[in-house]
Amino acid sequence: MYVGSCNGLFRSLDAHTGKVRWETNVRGKAPQYFFHGDVSIAPDRIVASTDVDAATGETAGVHAFDRNSGRELWKHAAGRGVKGAVIGAGSRVFVYTIAGELVALDIDSGKPAWTYPLKAPVWESPAVVGTRVFGGSTDGLVSAIDVETGRLQWQRKLGVPVNTSVRATDADVYAGTADGTLYRLSAASGEVRSSLKLDPALKPVSAPLLAAGAVLVLLADEHADYGALVSLDPALGRVNWRQAAPDKWTTSRVFESQGAVWLGDPSGGVTAYCAADGKPAWSHKLASAPIRSIGGSDEILYVGTPQGTLYALRQPHPCK
Amino acid sequence: MFARPLVAALAALTIASIQTEKPEILWQFEAGG
């Protein structure tokens, strides 16, 4: 498994023992150098995004590491860098930069194939399906751009800032906006096919997850505290269920595995909610610190805290 | 008068349906914050 932390270290750990296989330090002279977004894994390399405080004089961006040795293969410097996930497709990776661009990089060389100006929500990421990359922006636009050329194919004005990552299927593009609405657009034309107002005060955040025949999306308040999880039918015709956080959740993305959605809270608790009905099925206080990230495989859950402690758990199966 | 025991029973059922057993921790690693 791969993990990046806020000290500029990117590591490969043995998934079953936690033993360090390799580690690479990319922070330069910066005291802190952050890996925040999800990585993209190719057969021979792993591509990760970083961000840094500009006052350090360092630049951050996108790094590619050899999967076997950890050697840094290339770095694309992009000022303060990239906070959101790296999305890979074919020979390219795609990111939103903090500076306000959607960038397509060649995965072999790290050289930009094209850039497109886009005021994207910086913690989020674009989506790629087929020949199009889809991005949302804080000026209320959803755009479809040709993967190869970087040319605009269509643009839809929603009129409200896009607040989430964009996610897509062959037919549909999903984007949440700051007025609490989730939109479904035609991937081919950008036409709004349906939309659903999810909440008058909370707004959709993070990446909508298309899983188990539903769309799962987190809702957050004005302080960016995660307060509710909503499951919708993919046509956005109805809400399947809605689950409120007991207080708030501190994990910034929806992770689903084995029919359960795993979320962490400020007091170190991890709770599994069944994806079918949203009901809590298993909960355990794992740490004394907030839970920041949860990921894993069918058998193992990896749970991280902001202090840098990483736990590997044998995954319970409470929703089977 | 009759509602309160019913509510209490339902609450107990809800709590009982949430599993809380300790997971097997395979390993722990300090990555540094």
Side-chain angles (χ1 to χ4, degrees):
Chain A
M1 60 91 65
Y2 301 94
V3 60
S5 41
C6 298
N7 52 13
L9 286 171
F10 193 78
R11 296 179 172 100
S12 171
L13 307 182
D14 183 290
H16 294 281
T17 66
K19 186 179 173 189
V20 176
R21 293 175 59 231
W22 52 256
E23 68 177 32
T24 301
N25 184 349
V26 295
R27 71 172 171 265
K29 294 176 182 171
Q32 287 195 299
Y33 194 90
F34 304 95
F35 289 90
H36 279 127
D38 284 354
V39 300
S40 177
I41 300 176
D44 67 336
R45 62 195 59 203
I46 182 160
V47 185
S49 58
T50 58
D51 62 279
V52 69
D53 183 343
T56 64
E58 295 289 339
T59 59
V62 185
H63 305 254
F65 303 96
D66 182 281
R67 282 184 66 177
N68 289 322
S69 68
R71 183 170 63 91
E72 188 177 32
L73 301 172
W74 52 257
K75 173 184 175 181
H76 170 73
R80 288 176 56 206
V82 175
K83 288 179 184 282
V86 179
I87 304 298
S91 62
R92 301 251 166 101
V93 292
F94 303 86
V95 294
Y96 293 150
T97 66
I98 295 172
E101 289 179 324
L102 169 58
V103 179
L105 301 172
D106 180 89
I107 197 169
D108 289 327
S109 67
K111 291 193 164 39
W114 50 262
T115 61
Y116 187 90
L118 197 76
K119 295 175 187 167
V122 294
W123 289 96
E124 306 301 339
S125 55
V128 184
V129 174
T131 61
R132 299 184 184 96
V133 53
F134 304 98
S137 62
T138 56
D139 51 6
L141 298 169
V142 176
S143 305
I145 296 156
D146 187 284
V147 164
E148 288 300 319
T149 65
R151 290 193 187 120
L152 185 67
Q153 293 197 341
W154 56 253
Q155 198 162 58
R156 176 64 49 189
K157 185 174 184 179
L158 299 178
V160 184
V162 173
N163 213 56
T164 65
S165 293
V166 174
R167 289 295 177 263
T169 65
D170 287 341
D172 296 321
V173 179
Y174 295 90
T177 51
D179 62 350
T181 303
L182 191 66
Y183 285 88
R184 179 173 68 108
L185 283 66
S186 161
S189 68
E191 173 195 2
V192 176
R193 302 180 76 180
S194 56
S195 66
L196 199 58
K197 178 96 169 175
L198 303 179
D199 196 277
L202 302 179
K203 50 192 177 185
V205 289
S206 189
L209 180 69
L210 313 176
V215 181
L216 292 161
V217 63
L218 278 168
L219 304 181
D221 64 16
E222 69 274 21
H223 305 297
D225 287 333
Y226 305 102
L229 177 67
V230 182
S231 169
L232 308 148
D233 81 301
L236 305 189
R238 66 171 191 281
V239 172
N240 297 325
W241 51 259
R242 174 177 170 141
Q243 181 64 244
D247 171 21
K248 61 182 178 182
W249 294 304
T250 46
T251 36
S252 56
R253 67 168 180 145
V254 184
F255 175 68
E256 190 270 343
S257 179
Q258 301 288 313
V261 179
W262 301 84
L263 295 167
D265 62 45
S267 57
V270 174
T271 301
Y273 298 87
C274 290
D277 58 16
K279 291 179 179 166
W282 177 89
S283 189
H284 182 75
K285 181 173 165 55
L286 181 67
S288 54
I291 302 299
R292 175 56 56 84
S293 55
I294 300 178
S297 61
D298 286 350
E299 297 304 321
I300 304 177
L301 276 186
Y302 302 106
V303 181
T305 72
Q307 285 69 35
T309 304
L310 180 65
Y311 301 87
L313 319 177
R314 191 172 303 285
Q315 185 178 149
H317 293 164
C319 299
K320 283 286 181 182
Chain B
M1 186 169 182
F2 296 105
R4 187 167 291 174
L6 180 61
V7 169
L10 286 173
L13 275 174
T14 303
I15 291 167
S17 69
I18 303 173
Q19 301 170 38
T20 57
E21 77 271 21
K22 187 177 179 183
E24 180 186 354
I25 297 179
L26 301 172
W27 49 264
Q28 185 175 329
F29 181 78
E30 298 299 331

